[in-house]
Amino acid sequence: MKLIGIVGTNSNQSTNRQLLKFIQNHFSEQAEIELCEIKEIPAFNEPEDKLPPTEVKQLSDKIIHADGVIISTPEYDHAIPAALKSVIEWLSYTTRPLIDKPVMIVGASHGSLGSSRAQAHLRQILDAPELKARIMPSAEFLLGRSLNAFDESGQLVYPEKVTELEECFDEFLLFVEITNQLVKDHRFKTEQNKQFTWEAANGGEQE
């Protein structure tokens, strides 16, 4: 199985990057996981031709060709980082690669809550008509106290969180298989969703 992990921040130092690297290494025998950075993607600026910049197109292509996506988000002021929201806006406005794509949301934070509000925020965003990602239900991985969570070799040092992550990952692999089979059987709906516009939905009205 081929997955991509999106580091949901443009920060050079992030425990969410560490978390994804741990996932990449820990589950290497179960899936091929490529990590994708968003640091070089410019801030969203609505293009008249609806064509994405090169950096967005490259990320979009990787999402399209992956079986599933893991997004690791920190929490800033009870929400996802502006950089991650900007990337999602690019994707929703241009190529829409997340439609019907299985997504697992994880997150790490320096406090004890493990980006719980940001994860809820991201779920809400990914359910928008232009995104329509298939988010794994009834499961979330929250890594709190993340500054002390990894040793020098990048290993997660909280045994109970390793066990929890293993259970979540096994669920996600099954979710990816089931979701992709269902989507394959109803591919026409995916194409219909990619043609959605708010202008059409509002009878041609624009803001």
Side-chain angles (χ1 to χ4, degrees), residues 104-120:
M104 176 183 180
I105 299 173
V106 299
S109 71
H110 299 175
S112 60
L113 297 180
S115 77
S116 59
R117 294 184 180 92
Q119 290 195 35

Side-chain angles (χ1 to χ4, degrees), residues 5 12 16 23 26 34 50 56 64 73 87 94 104 107 129 138 150 152 161 181 187 189-190 202 204:
N12 290 325
N16 283 275
I23 291 173
H26 193 72
E34 178 182 0
K50 291 197 173 185
V56 176
I64 289 171
T73 180
V87 170
T94 58
M104 176 183 180
S138 304
F150 301 96
E152 293 182 356
K161 299 306 290 187
Q181 184 59 53
R187 177 61 64 182
K189 291 185 177 179
T190 301
N202 293 327

Side-chain angles (χ1 to χ4, degrees), residues 45-121:
N45 183 16
E46 186 175 313
E48 292 184 3
D49 56 10
K50 291 197 173 185
L51 295 177
T54 301
E55 299 89 346
V56 176
K57 180 65 165 57
Q58 290 173 345
L59 177 61
S60 176
D61 288 345
K62 290 180 180 181
I63 293 173
I64 289 171
H65 292 105
D67 296 306
V69 177
I70 304 171
I71 303 176
S72 187
T73 180
E75 181 174 312
Y76 298 161
D77 300 324
H78 293 183
I80 65 173
L84 178 57
K85 182 63 166 60
S86 176
V87 170
I88 293 173
E89 287 167 358
W90 274 120
L91 297 175
S92 70
Y93 192 80
T94 58
T95 54
R96 298 182 177 176
L98 285 168
I99 290 179
D100 286 333
K101 185 67 62 174
V103 174
M104 176 183 180
I105 299 173
V106 299
S109 71
H110 299 175
S112 60
L113 297 180
S115 77
S116 59
R117 294 184 180 92
Q119 290 195 35
H121 184 215

